[in-house]
Amino acid sequence: MDAKLIVEEVRLTPILISDPPLLNVQGVHQPATPRLVVEVVTAGGASGLGETYGDSVYLDLARPLAEALPGHSVTDVNGLFALAAAAGPDPSSAGAPDEGIDRPAAGVAPRDEGVDAGGLRGVRTADKLRLSVVSAFETACLDALGKTLGLPVHALLGGKVRDTVEYSAYLFHRWDAHPGGGPTDDWGAALDPAGIVAQARRFDREYGFRSFKLKGGVFEPEREIAAIRALAEAFPGRPLRLDPNGAWSVETSLAVARELGDVLEYLEDPASGTDAMAAIAAGTDVPLATNMCVTTFEEVPEALAKEAVRIVLCDHHYWGGLHRTRELAALCRTYGIGLSMHSNTHLGISLAAMTQVAATLPELRYACDTHYPWQTEDVVTPRPVFRAGRLTVSDAPGLGVALDRDALAALHRRWLEDDGTLRDRDDAAAMRVADPGWRAPRVPRW
């Protein structure tokens, strides 16, 4: 074993990053959202970076893994899963199962609507939480390994098949400001089709995005149909997507598919659960995509057997890292399932990892999602720049990003100074600032 590849130290830095008032079926984004930066330092002096969700339940799993990892090689990314499970904490000891897809994890309050506000990915389980934590450690190890060997991460994954990766504009209904105060921007409100089109025009003008995805489930379906129709008129021939995060019934989903079948590239998670998605798929030719009913390998067989989806959105945070994202891509190729890429609120470390793995996936034929243009803060320098809706794949060693330690320290201070209100993302709580009677709706909502 090469001594310089041995992990000497792991640094965990929870942070709070500014977030605009973007609306979804759960409520609205809080003024800041938690992220966790993982830094792996080797005996050879290489420092590797990873990023994932920063809510308390993720920190509780990350801390023992950070303590257990020193002494192991950054090459042993396959061993991270067993190491994480052995390091604990054991979720079953707190009354939550260590296995199973449909049972909530320890520390996660059950939600009537069956989705997790942080990722809107279906029920959060102990195994899913652990995969999201391991993903950041794997990325950090690969970054450190690449820096040691002088190779980009994409070379460690088998090599890139494209020099640029295309991303899609992520459109949101939104308020012009947070109701209780917080960070401001110059985007203004977008609460009707005209506002959504104006938002899309700015994304097109400033970033060159060629495709558009609208976060739905916020208003009644007729209003969101009108927004997609307005986009189709403003941008004829451009790929359009609509994602209501499981807010609709089977009947409503089929009605929307009939209305928009001629303009949608795909309809993402119109209803919650594999059975509902299968019923919709049987009644429409519009391709159905998911990042809710299929987010682990255990969920794949049922979805394929029931022909519930035609496109799976990969996300290395969900699936357990970059290598497992490639395993998912191979599975999709085998079964003739399309592959796209999901995004949640993230910074430049995650964006670099997304771009590196996306560059290695021949079957990735859809533009990737990204929230990144909505984020005004980052911990890497310089900020990535989209040109014609694309990011150039870095050939620099590792992920190709440099850590801005001053920015990291400032965002960590914000986390330390928070009274606990923002350390766990809760879009419903943020909505109650404006509407005290609000509670996240049961689905189907319409």
Side-chain angles (χ1 to χ4, degrees):
M1 184 182 297
D2 191 335
K4 64 178 178 290
L5 295 175
I6 299 301
V7 176
E8 279 198 339
E9 181 184 1
V10 179
R11 302 168 187 158
L12 302 180
T13 309
I15 60 177
L16 284 173
I17 62 170
S18 295
D19 214 10
L22 309 179
L23 297 164
N24 58 45
V25 67
Q26 293 282 318
V28 64
H29 288 205
Q30 293 172 296
T33 197
R35 298 294 286 177
L36 174 63
V37 175
V38 176
E39 190 174 359
V40 169
V41 183
T42 69
S47 175
L49 301 173
E51 175 193 342
T52 191
Y53 303 99
D55 305 64
S56 301
V57 287
Y58 298 97
L59 286 172
D60 288 344
L61 290 169
R63 289 185 177 114
L65 179 55
E67 294 175 0
L69 188 57
H72 295 260
S73 173
V74 292
T75 62
D76 187 20
V77 293
N78 288 337
L80 288 171
F81 301 94
L83 190 63
D90 178 8
S92 63
S93 66
D98 188 52
E99 297 180 353
I101 297 304
D102 296 321
R103 295 170 292 180
V108 180
R111 298 177 182 271
D112 291 335
E113 68 277 7
V115 295
D116 141 38
L120 293 166
R121 64 181 292 188
V123 176
R124 239 178 354 181
T125 68
D127 283 341
K128 289 182 179 182
L129 294 172
R130 188 175 288 119
L131 288 172
S132 294
V133 169
V134 169
S135 72
F137 282 77
E138 186 226 39
T139 300
C141 286
L142 291 174
D143 187 28
L145 177 60
K147 290 173 179 175
T148 301
L149 300 178
L151 294 172
V153 166
H154 66 71
L156 305 178
L157 300 175
K160 63 182 180 179
V161 297
R162 55 181 64 88
D163 293 321
T164 63
V165 172
E166 184 180 6
Y167 284 88
S168 177
Y170 212 145
L171 310 178
F172 282 83
H173 294 101
R174 56 159 292 164
W175 295 331
D176 61 349
H178 291 282
T184 59
D185 58 35
D186 62 354
W187 281 85
L191 298 171
D192 56 21
I196 292 298
V197 169
Q199 191 180 105
R201 290 193 188 283
R202 180 168 173 178
F203 271 116
D204 180 38
R205 180 175 66 252
E206 295 187 6
Y207 302 101
F209 291 122
R210 304 297 297 169
S211 62
F212 302 95
K213 172 176 170 176
L214 176 62
K215 177 66 72 178
V218 177
F219 299 118
E220 61 276 9
E222 293 77 13
R223 194 162 162 183
E224 295 179 350
I225 289 171
I228 292 294
R229 279 290 172 198
L231 287 169
E233 182 177 348
F235 301 94
R238 300 278 194 96
L240 302 177
R241 311 165 184 177
L242 177 58
D243 173 19
N245 282 124
W248 300 338
S249 68
V250 171
E251 293 75 15
T252 298
S253 300
L254 287 171
V256 174
R258 284 193 296 270
E259 290 288 333
L260 296 177
D262 60 324
V263 294
L264 284 181
E265 181 181 34
Y266 58 70
L267 181 58
E268 182 181 334
D269 288 307
S272 293
T274 300
D275 287 339
M277 290 285 284
I280 299 163
T284 182
D285 291 329
V286 176
L288 299 189
T290 187
N291 73 278
M292 288 179 63
C293 69
V294 180
T295 62
T296 65
F297 287 102
E298 292 80 4
E299 292 168 328
V300 170
E302 180 186 13
L304 292 185
K306 295 180 177 180
E307 299 183 341
V309 297
R310 286 166 57 183
I311 300 157
V312 172
L313 276 68
C314 63
D315 183 329
H316 72 277
H317 306 89
Y318 284 10
W319 292 85
L322 308 185
H323 282 289
R324 289 203 173 188
T325 300
R326 286 182 48 77
E327 292 175 14
L328 172 63
L331 190 63
C332 289
R333 181 178 65 245
T334 300
Y335 288 95
I337 301 297
L339 186 70
S340 190
M341 184 175 285
H342 170 259
S343 164
N344 204 284
T345 305
H346 64 84
L347 294 177
I349 298 171
S350 282
L351 183 61
M354 292 161 63
T355 303
Q356 288 285 315
V357 71
T360 71
L361 305 176
E363 44 283 292
L364 185 65
R365 308 198 188 283
Y366 298 92
C368 302
D369 292 347
T370 180
H371 285 63
Y372 190 73
W374 289 113
Q375 312 314 136
T376 58
E377 300 172 325
D378 206 345
V379 295
V380 301
T381 184
R383 283 180 66 97
V385 177
F386 293 91
R387 292 185 174 88
R390 294 177 173 269
L391 285 181
T392 298
V393 180
S394 173
D395 291 324
L399 292 174
V401 296
L403 184 63
D404 184 335
R405 294 197 178 276
D406 290 339
L408 181 68
L411 297 179
H412 180 53
R413 282 196 300 273
R414 182 185 292 162
W415 184 88
L416 290 172
E417 293 166 359
D418 179 66
D419 62 4
T421 302
L422 302 176
R423 290 189 183 183
D424 292 288
R425 178 175 164 179
D426 191 337
D427 294 357
M431 180 65 88
R432 283 192 288 273
V433 176
D435 178 3
W438 174 267
R439 78 187 289 263
R442 296 173 182 267
V443 293
R445 187 178 182 184
W446 288 284

